[in-house]
Amino acid sequence: MDGKNRKDIKPGLKVEIVLKKDQRTGKRTEGLVKEILTNSSFHPHGIKVRLADGQVGRVARILG
C-alpha cells in the first residue's frame, strides 16, 4: 500500500518514508509512525509523518 491516504496511516504502524534530503534519490528509511503531520486526507507525494526516532518524511510504503 502507498502512503497517500491519511486514513491508512496510524501511529505505531511500520512504514517506509522518504526523507527531505533523500527526495532526489528516492532512498527510503524504515520506522514506526509516532505522529501524522499532514492534515489533509490525501497527498499525491505521500502523507508526512514523524517516526518514533524523530525523523520526518513522506510515507512511500506501508509495511504493516
Side-chain angles (χ1 to χ4, degrees):
M1 226 185 323
D2 63 11
K4 295 180 181 180
N5 291 306
R6 192 177 197 275
K7 65 176 173 57
D8 297 336
I9 300 165
K10 306 267 185 282
L13 209 58
K14 191 174 190 178
V15 295
E16 285 182 343
I17 66 168
V18 178
L19 301 172
K20 183 81 172 170
K21 67 181 177 87
D22 296 328
Q23 281 179 344
R24 285 177 176 266
T25 63
K27 179 179 173 282
R28 294 177 176 186
T29 304
E30 199 173 293
L32 297 175
V33 176
K34 179 181 179 186
E35 185 181 358
I36 301 170
L37 303 176
T38 300
N39 288 323
S40 62
S41 61
F42 176 85
H43 193 284
H45 302 299
I47 299 296
K48 191 179 278 187
V49 298
R50 177 175 287 118
L51 297 181
D53 63 5
Q55 297 185 92
V56 174
R58 295 199 180 273
V59 178
R61 201 171 98 193
I62 299 170
L63 302 174

